[in-house]
Structures are given as C-alpha cells and as structure tokens.
Amino acid sequence: MIRKCLLLSLFISTILSAAQASEPAPPAVDVQVVTDEADAVLAILAKRKAGEAVAEADWRRLFSSEGYVRLKKRDTGMGRPFEDSDFRGFVLSEELAARAGSLAETFAKWTKTDASGAARRALAYLPDGARIRAKIYPVIKPRDNSFVFEVKTDPAIFLYLDPAVTAEQFENTLTHELHHIGNGGSCPPAAVEAEISRLPKGVRTVLLWMGAFGEGLAMLAAAGGPDVHPHAVSKAADRERWDRDVARFPEDLRKIETFFQDVLAGRLDEEGARKTAASFYGETQGPWYTVGWKMATTIEKAFGRQRLVESFCDPRKLLAAYNDAARKDGTLPLWSEEVVKALAAGSPRIGSFLGAPAKVPRDTQVDRIARGAVRGDPGGLGSHPPRLRARPPSLGTRSPTLGNQPPTLGTRSPRLGARPPGLGDHSPRFRGRPPRLGTRSPTLGNQPPT
C-alpha cells in the first residue's frame, strides 16, 4: 500500500512538473496604452463645444476610469488635495475648452505610437531575460507633470497630454521611461545586490546614487544607438543646450567624482549629500544625464553593447569599464583610481586615502533617500523635472522627451535600481528618482515632489 502511494505521489509530481515546464514564459514586452481618462475628458469637451448638456453619466465615466482612479490614488497618496469637484471645475474651465482642439489632435497622434515597439527598443539596452511590463496613461489634468507610479506592483507611466510634444518626441520619451522600468526590474541581479549589501556604508551609498547615471543610458536607448543624437527629434534649442552641456563633460565628471569622494570619506552629512546629488539632475538634464550618456556611448563604441549593459547592471564595474574605454580613446578624462578601486573592491579603508571621515549617524537620511529613490517610493528624492513638460529625464523634457520636468524614475524595488530617484515627477524626463542602480525613473525630470 505504501509503495502504491509513493508511486502515485511520484506520478502526480511528474505530471505537475511537466505541466509547469510546458507553460510558456511570460512575454518580454507587455505594454498597454490605457486612454479611458483622456477619452472621457475629450468627450465632455466635445459635448460642450456642440452645445450639448454634460450628463452625470459623463462624469461617472470620467471618475470611474482606470486612469483617473490611479491618478487620484497617486496624488492623495503623496498628500496632495484631489477632489472630484475640483477636477470637474478644471474640465469645465474656459482655459481647457480653448485647448480642446489641440488636445484632441495631439491625443490622436500619440495613440498611434507603437508602444510595444518602443519597449523593444528599450530592451536592446537591457540584460538578456529582462522584461518590460507597464501601463501607459496619456492624461488630461491640471498639473503639467508626468511620472511613474507603482513600479514594483503594477508599473504605470502617466504622461501629461501636451500639444507642444510631437508624436516623435512622445515615442522617444516613452522609450526612455520604459527603459527605466525594465532596468528597475532586472538590475542589479539578486546575487550582485546581495554582495553590495555587505559593502561599507559609504560605498553602498555611492553605488546607489550611481543609479542616476541610468538617465544617460536611457537617453542612449531612446536614441537607438551611440551615433544618433539623443535630441535628434527635439527642437534645435534643445539640441544646442545638450551639446553645450556635454561639452562640459570633463568638468562635470570631476564634480561628481568629488561628490563620490566626500561620501566615501564621510565628509558630507545626509542633507549635504542629498542636495549635492539632486543638483546633478539640473534644471532640465544635468550631469547625471550628460555624464551618464557620455560614459555609456564611450563604453559601447569601445567594447560593444554587452559590456555596456553589464557594467551599468553592476555599478561596481561601471567606472572601471569607462576608464578602459577612455584609455582607448586617449582624449577623455578618467575617474581616479582611488574611487574606482574603492567601489570595485568595497575597501573598508576608504578614509585612509580619501580623508578623515565626519561623524554621521549609522542610518542616515542619505541611505533612506537612496533606497527610496531606488524603489521609486514617494519618500525618495521626490519629484523631478519632467521630460514631457508639460512636464521630466525621461519621459520628460523637452526633447526626445516630452517636456520639461525633473527625475526617475525612477522607481523600483529594494534593488539598487535603475532609474534615478524617487517616484516623483520629473523634468525633461521623469527624473525625480534617485537612482536605481540602473538608470526612472520610473526618466521624467529632476525635482523633488511637487
């Protein structure tokens, strides 16, 4: 009897294992564009233009739409006032009525964008096995910010519908933001994250903030390659601004290096570290973007995309990979060997060559901010200037991005993450996130929560 039971148990186990093995793997790309909120607002605007009465059913359609419900959840969760009556007043305003035609035209163009295609372009700059799952909500709302939301559980990208943003810019921004989401779910690998968690506190903090360089990698992914200008579809003024900022690469690299040295040596208190790191997001796309992009393009041109992705996915390798590539170029500045070795080896004796450490509490706000940013929590760096400006790095800013707003992004789980800090709004891209160790932020702009 016992033998029969064992055989039956073995048989059932074999059948279940075979069934599990036969289940198809989840798709690498699962992206949906959810337009119900914008549809409902535009329907009300169309009725008003035609002189028809707006019925309560029209308002119920709007207030029960998935986009509106999640928008309200996000804002109230951040402590912002959000009442149906106020939103009703916004929809009935003369200012919005005057924009009805341009909003409808822009909405029609944006919704023709191949969102899955944008996700596939983002995947080209992610590790093998990465997945991108997200819902994209083009929304008509009072605040002109764009942002990412609930990246860990039900990833969402909210894009402020801005007639100033072309379909090409929208697609560029979308690719940027989707890269942040994919990077946040795949980098760093669990084994790398576990190793980093055992490193000295200063090293961990620097590695967390290095996730903001993911804004530069997302710029590269959105452009499609190192030989394509990251603002190819932007206005001439945006391209010129970017070129001027990239020309300051040597100077900006040194500024970030000094920041890393001060954190490693304990010379910055929590507030000082946060303010310094936040300043690198810039008003539109600061050094986290330009230095990150320059390092990424240099590595890819020298060693190919595989090493590029590997080095961004394990930030301990990033500065060394860039230095190797820069030496081949022969004209670019290098990161100091002290910083490179401290991050690569996690040396506990950082203070011996970086200066005397200051007294800083064990669990400083810097760590909490970095962790929040990495996870995309509202408690991270906050909002960022938008890319879509209307809105923020990444979905946002003026150029390939939509608009003008702060960072990343980013968002992600307790992992080190990739799209820059915080769940907040971002600027030219969704940039309000402190780093995931990967990019997101998730890329809308750079700013603290608004």
Side-chain angles (χ1 to χ4, degrees), residues 395-420:
L395 262 194
T397 148
R398 5 228 82 331
S399 72
T401 286
L402 306 182
N404 150 112
Q405 32 201 34
T408 248
L409 166 221
T411 46
R412 71 180 292 187
S413 70
R415 296 192 155 198
L416 295 183
R419 194 187 162 232

Side-chain angles (χ1 to χ4, degrees), residues 111-367:
T111 51
K112 291 179 181 177
T113 298
D114 181 5
S116 293
R120 286 190 291 272
R121 284 191 292 281
L123 275 178
Y125 281 87
L126 293 172
D128 291 342
R131 294 182 60 219
I132 295 179
R133 178 176 65 89
K135 290 180 179 178
I136 301 157
Y137 298 89
V139 289
I140 299 172
K141 59 191 184 70
R143 296 175 60 83
D144 64 356
N145 61 324
S146 295
F147 54 88
V148 294
F149 181 52
E150 296 184 328
V151 174
K152 185 177 178 182
T153 55
D154 188 8
I157 300 173
F158 281 78
L159 303 177
Y160 173 83
L161 189 62
D162 182 4
V165 175
T166 67
E168 293 77 16
Q169 292 168 348
F170 170 76
E171 185 172 358
N172 178 282
T173 293
L174 186 57
T175 303
H176 183 116
E177 294 308 318
L178 288 170
H179 183 274
H180 280 317
I181 287 179
N183 194 55
S186 57
C187 292
V192 171
E193 190 174 9
E195 293 172 1
I196 290 176
S197 70
R198 295 191 289 271
L199 295 177
K201 180 180 179 181
V203 177
R204 295 197 313 270
T205 300
V206 169
L207 291 173
L208 281 170
W209 280 110
M210 282 177 64
F213 283 136
E215 294 294 350
L217 182 60
M219 292 290 289
L220 174 57
D227 298 319
V228 180
H229 195 291
H231 281 279
V233 299
S234 303
K235 295 178 181 178
D238 293 322
R239 288 193 294 275
E240 292 168 2
R241 173 191 53 75
W242 175 266
D243 292 341
R244 288 194 301 271
D245 292 345
V246 170
R248 293 198 298 269
F249 170 69
E251 174 187 347
D252 286 340
L253 183 149
R254 292 298 168 228
K255 288 180 179 178
I256 295 177
E257 180 176 72
T258 298
F259 167 62
F260 288 167
Q261 290 171 332
D262 288 343
V263 171
L264 290 169
R267 290 192 291 264
L268 279 179
D269 63 13
E270 53 194 47
E271 184 62 13
R274 185 193 69 78
K275 287 183 177 179
T276 301
S279 72
F280 296 143
Y281 282 105
E283 287 303 314
T284 50
Q285 295 169 326
W288 288 129
Y289 289 80
T290 55
V291 175
W293 175 82
K294 186 66 174 179
M295 291 200 303
T297 56
T298 301
I299 295 170
E300 182 170 10
K301 287 180 177 180
F303 303 119
R305 192 169 296 174
Q306 181 175 350
R307 184 169 180 187
L308 166 65
V309 172
E310 289 176 352
S311 62
F312 268 81
C313 216
D314 184 347
R316 297 172 299 179
K317 301 176 180 179
L318 178 56
L319 303 190
Y322 163 77
N323 275 5
D324 290 345
R327 290 189 183 97
K328 292 185 66 174
D329 176 272
T331 65
L332 298 171
L334 303 178
W335 294 93
S336 71
E337 284 303 307
E338 290 83 0
V339 171
V340 172
K341 289 178 181 178
L343 298 181
S347 170
R349 302 190 54 174
I350 300 165
S352 64
F353 56 79
L354 290 177
K359 294 182 179 180
V360 180
R362 286 189 66 178
D363 184 21
T364 66
Q365 185 180 5
V366 172
D367 284 337

Side-chain angles (χ1 to χ4, degrees), residues 66-74 137 150 154 156 158:
E66 182 178 330
Y68 183 87
V69 169
R70 296 193 72 184
L71 174 64
K72 184 175 184 177
K73 178 182 179 183
R74 186 262 185 179
Y137 298 89
E150 296 184 328
D154 188 8
F158 281 78

